Amino acid sequence: MQALYCHLLNGKTTSPAKYPAPFIERHQSLVKLHLWGLDNDTDYRVLEVLLKLPHLKEVGLRKSSIQEDDIVRFWTVCENLESLLLEEVTFPQGTTPHALMCFRNIRKLQLYSVSGMEDAEQLRFISACPNLEDLAWRANTPAIRWGDAVEGGFQFVERPYLGEFAKEVTRKRWPRLTSFRREAQ
């Protein structure tokens, strides 16, 4: 199993190459790939190259952005993954997978601070992963909001997606789910 961790800073990688797509393309046996700082300005071909990796099972994106033109490629890459980790990733506003998409292979999913996907859209994505075993989710809606107008300086905010999530768990949407971490904001 070959893993590659590639950190992109200011449009250049700290390793292993100036632009990641050509390097990734030369390593067809990649199983795990974690990218930090991916965006279209860095290398617009990365998602296109990931579609061609037959053994890729895990992708991690951190401090990255997926552009409107790359959404279909991104979801297509995800269909073949067993593990997807998204942290501080920005999508175009209102992003959600197509209603007919199903991510049967995803066993491990981490969604931390994903912008452009509202909580309900994130729940739709999670719901499209019927074989989840391990889920870590930090939704965008904070549990507590601070404000001067509220007595005591803060107020609790209703998080309706949690009720929907609980209903789905009760209905056994994810029969293999053995680990769930709801990360607080």
Side-chain angles (χ1 to χ4, degrees), residues 14-157:
T14 56
S15 67
K18 183 176 179 183
Y19 295 103
F23 180 85
I24 295 167
E25 212 164 19
R26 289 191 305 270
H27 292 82
Q28 292 291 306
S29 62
L30 280 175
V31 175
K32 293 182 178 184
L33 177 65
H34 288 238
L35 297 168
W36 180 319
L38 177 70
D39 61 29
N40 273 12
D41 295 333
T42 306
D43 194 338
Y44 67 91
R45 296 181 322 115
V46 169
L47 290 171
E48 187 177 307
V49 169
L50 295 185
L51 286 170
K52 300 174 185 173
L53 297 178
H55 307 290
L56 190 63
K57 299 296 178 204
E58 179 177 306
V59 168
L61 297 177
R62 185 161 190 239
K63 294 187 182 279
S64 298
S65 62
I66 305 297
Q67 304 302 320
E68 186 93 32
D69 297 347
D70 284 327
I71 291 295
V72 172
R73 278 188 215 94
F74 175 77
W75 294 126
T76 304
V77 167
C78 292
E79 283 183 309
N80 297 314
L81 298 177
E82 292 177 4
S83 179
L84 177 64
L85 312 131
L86 302 176
E87 184 174 349
E88 296 182 48
V89 175
T90 302
F91 288 91
Q93 195 62 38
T95 296
T96 189
H98 187 278
L100 298 177
M101 292 192 92
C102 185
F103 305 97
R104 294 188 193 291
N105 295 326
I106 293 182
R107 306 281 187 263
K108 180 178 181 181
L109 180 62
Q110 293 182 2
L111 301 174
Y112 297 146
S113 301
V114 177
S115 301
M117 274 182 153
E118 297 301 323
D119 297 337
E121 292 158 341
Q122 290 182 32
L123 181 56
R124 273 195 293 280
F125 175 42
I126 294 167
S127 295
C129 304
N131 294 313
L132 273 180
E133 296 171 4
D134 184 348
L135 173 63
W137 183 23
R138 181 187 314 145
N140 294 330
T141 306
I144 298 175
R145 290 191 182 143
W146 299 94
D148 296 331
V150 180
E151 187 176 321
F154 64 92
Q155 65 180 2
F156 290 95
V157 176

